[in-house]
Amino acid sequence: MDLKQLLLKDAMIMDLKATTKDEAIEEMVDKYYQVGVINDKDLYKADILKREAQTSTGIGDGIAMPHARDKAVQRATVLFAKSAKGIDYDSLDGQPAFLFFMIAAPDGADNLHLQALAALSSLLINPELVANLKKATTADEVQKLFDDAMAAKEAKDKADEEKQAAKAAAAKAAEAAGSTEDQKPYVVAVTACPTGIAHTYMAEAALKEQAEKMGVDIKVETNGSEGVKHKLTADEIRRATGVIIAADKKVDMPRFDGKHLVNRPVSDGINKAEELINLATEQKAPVFHAEGGAAADEEESTESKSLWSKIYADLMNGISNMLPFVVGGGILMAISFLLENSVGAHSQWFLFFNNVGNYAFSFLIPVLAAYIAVSIGDRPALLPGFVGGYMASQATASVVSSKSPAGFIGGLLAGFIAGWTVVYLKKALKNLPKSLDGLKPILLYPVLSLLIVGAIMYFAVDPVFAVVNHAITAFLESMGTGNAVILGTLLGGMMAVDMGGPFNKAAYTFAIGTFTATQDGALMAAVMVGGMIPPLAIAIATTFWKNKFTEQERQAGLSNYVLGISFITEGAIPFAAGDPLHVIVSSVIGAAIGGGLTQLWGVNVPAPHGGIFVTPLANKPLMYLLAVVIGAVISGVIYGLWKPAKKAEK
């Protein structure tokens, strides 16, 4: 496509006034509306924000490319804008953005915006063009720079294609003649990122540019949103000295069976192109072996991401799939507590909202475990992950009786156990006769993985947490209520340790038992305050330290205000699972302080649940709310200050 036809001069903003990401988006959307590119600002902006919620379009190196396609757009356009001071745009490298390309495409525009992104990405890998764009002061200069860059790229691409064709023919002829003299090293590569847009094409451009400098022939296949482009042929793969996979999503791997293969994140394709090419040409990467020569087994390649990067990616897969259950179920439960105060606990309206919310919550730990497992072991790990997570979410009778489930910590363990169980099963069964290949996914993997994971959960994980729960309960009972402040501090802190696991359940059960026996709600106040503080702390931190969180985390943080005041501690679980040290420690500190304050001030709440909605029942409602606020602010500030700035996303 011709990019210069999309860069309208009257849609350019040469001096962006905005100082924040939201203001920048608003200013660019307003400009589109003024020049008639869009006819509905709200619709287009909503789709821009929806795309930003998936992952930031701040691609790094001072560049942001927000984009959307909807019926508000009247014609395909690329709006260019620049900011002299730079704007914090949640960019993947954590640096301010100076150049902005907002892409608008009409609904049904045959992926014009994706093509524009691809073209822009491949051009913007050129530091000279980026530097010149930052210096440009007029719309005419910008168009001229892109005209020249596009013309140069088209000429170069055409020359490269002709060269590649000639080289391929020469290589074939030389191979047929048995001569290898004067042949350049030849490698093939595949680039792909989760959204299939910017990084896919930037990695392609970086690898090709570096290969040319090094005198290496290369062909790069892109797996982008437009589909597979420049698909590698069997002959090209066969001739290649080595293979480079620069991808953050799965690609077609079996075709590379028997080749030296470098498997790295897509960002390495952009930033470490020379290193990857050297590994491929010198055949220092391990030889890849596809399972049975027919199905990809990416774990065979040890040249991969770092251990922590892999663990973090697996965690994020579980958390992102769990988040809708947390938010949807939590909000409905919060609504049910509101209704309970006005229509009563036996109303069908209360029961409907409360039950549906609880049904959603019953999937939190199983979904977390299942999708951690899938990230590690692919689809065969879904079954053992779900079942292991379910076992962690239930107070099941195993070899040791327990009234408390293993909770989200047990769910995390279940996910990793299930995923790696399947990985090792694949390796253990790969030498079976090929006639049994069809039985692996439908019989062998499900039965064996379920048996192994179920046994580990039943005989090891659940019993360990059962013993922990029993010990905690015995300790609490031995304390009695002699020192109320210490006990309140302890109960409040325990509510934040594992947010549904043995510590949380032991504290809550102890308070419920005391309340049932004595009708004294003093300890209920401590556990209620302690349980409200973790999600409220998350909400505070994501509000006031925005630059340390992704867009998705900030959106989830907002919902934690509602979940927190509703005494739904589980709203903090996705954050605790992804960053346990900072979240749990800060939450425990604030929750312990809040719980202790309720006993210091003699607060009594004669209700087993309800959060702030049962404030009218408290004997000292203002002190009750103040304990929540103080604890939440302390936890939120500690977490916000302590949490490291977010890393660049791959």
Side-chain angles (χ1 to χ4, degrees), residues 67-87:
H67 55 281
R69 175 175 55 183
D70 60 38
K71 61 184 180 182
V73 180
Q74 303 302 293
R75 58 163 294 182
T77 309
V78 177
L79 180 155
F80 171 79
K82 57 179 291 190
S83 167
K85 295 181 179 179
I87 294 171

Side-chain angles (χ1 to χ4, degrees), residues 306-330:
S306 70
L307 177 61
W308 172 244
S309 295
K310 184 73 175 73
I311 291 173
Y312 184 75
D314 299 334
L315 269 175
M316 289 303 104
N317 196 53
I319 291 167
S320 62
N321 281 284
M322 179 181 65
L323 265 177
F325 293 83
V326 175
V327 176

Side-chain angles (χ1 to χ4, degrees), residues 323 326-327 331 539 554-564 571:
L323 265 177
V326 175
V327 176
I331 296 298
R554 290 198 295 271
Q555 294 296 327
L558 289 176
S559 69
N560 270 276
Y561 280 114
V562 178
L563 302 180

